[in-house]
């Protein structure tokens, strides 16, 4: 095989590889996406089945009665409720949540605060030696 034919063959192989690379990449990315979506669908179907079971359970009158007794401490008409209090068995108090430290204000908030609020003054300052007193205009600075 001559060198010219080998170069042409190499060029054809490269062109073929470049032509097939984009569709192959698309094919593999779509396969991965399809597998991910199938997994997500299975998860959602499991969630739907679990929620349907819970809805059916919550529509059962016996479940409603038991939840009303346990959670709300309700009793049926004619029953006498008793609450037994034994010292030392109460649930321990929840520890208080640690106070959150306040995040510092951003720089522009501090800048706006210094511009919008007047600075406290301790009184008129005496003029410096040898300088004339500052003249203030009633209309404000010019």
């Amino acid at each position: 095989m001559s060198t010219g034919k080998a170069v042409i063959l190499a060029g054809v192989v490269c062109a073929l590889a470049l032509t097939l690379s984009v569709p192959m990449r698309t094919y593999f990315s779509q396969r991965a996406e399809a597998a991910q979506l199938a997994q997500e669908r299975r998860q959602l179907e499991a969630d739907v089945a679990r929620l349907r079971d819970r809805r059916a359970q919550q529509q059962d009158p016996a479940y409603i009665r038991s939840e009303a007794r346990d959670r709300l401490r309700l009793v049926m008409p004619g029953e006498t409720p008793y609450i037994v209090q034994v010292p030392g068995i109460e649930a321990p108090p929840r520890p208080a949540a640690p106070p959150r430290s306040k995040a510092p204000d951003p720089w522009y908030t501090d800048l706006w605060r210094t511009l919008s609020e007047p600075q406290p003054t301790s009184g008129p300052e005496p003029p410096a030696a040898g300088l004339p007193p500052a003249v203030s205009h009633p209309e404000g600075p010019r």
Side-chain angles (χ1 to χ4, degrees):
M1 187 187 265
S2 69
T3 308
K5 288 182 182 180
V7 170
I8 291 175
L9 182 61
V12 168
V13 168
C14 287
L16 185 62
L18 289 175
T19 303
L20 293 177
S21 65
V22 173
M24 291 300 287
R25 185 182 66 195
T26 304
Y27 171 74
F28 286 120
S29 67
Q30 286 178 351
R31 275 187 59 188
E33 185 179 353
Q36 177 188 4
L37 290 174
Q39 174 64 27
E40 186 177 334
R41 180 178 178 195
R42 284 190 296 273
Q43 179 67 34
L44 289 174
E45 287 173 351
D47 289 346
V48 166
R50 183 179 48 81
L51 290 173
R52 282 187 181 143
D53 291 343
R54 184 174 169 115
R55 184 180 67 184
Q57 179 187 28
Q58 289 178 348
Q59 290 175 347
D60 182 22
Y63 177 78
I64 293 172
R65 260 192 305 278
S66 70
E67 287 297 309
R69 285 180 190 272
D70 296 341
R71 289 188 182 182
L72 303 176
R73 302 195 186 276
L74 297 177
V75 294
M76 295 298 289
E79 292 180 350
T80 304
Y82 292 103
I83 298 178
V84 179
Q85 295 179 348
V86 179
I89 296 185
E90 300 92 19
R94 288 186 173 178
R100 293 184 184 173
S101 60
K102 184 182 178 212
D105 289 334
W107 64 270
Y108 50 83
T109 305
D110 293 334
L111 177 64
W112 180 255
R113 190 175 299 126
T114 58
L115 293 175
S116 64
E117 297 174 0
Q119 295 296 322
T121 57
S122 60
E125 295 182 13
L131 294 176
V135 177
S136 65
H137 296 283
E139 298 101 34
R142 292 184 185 208

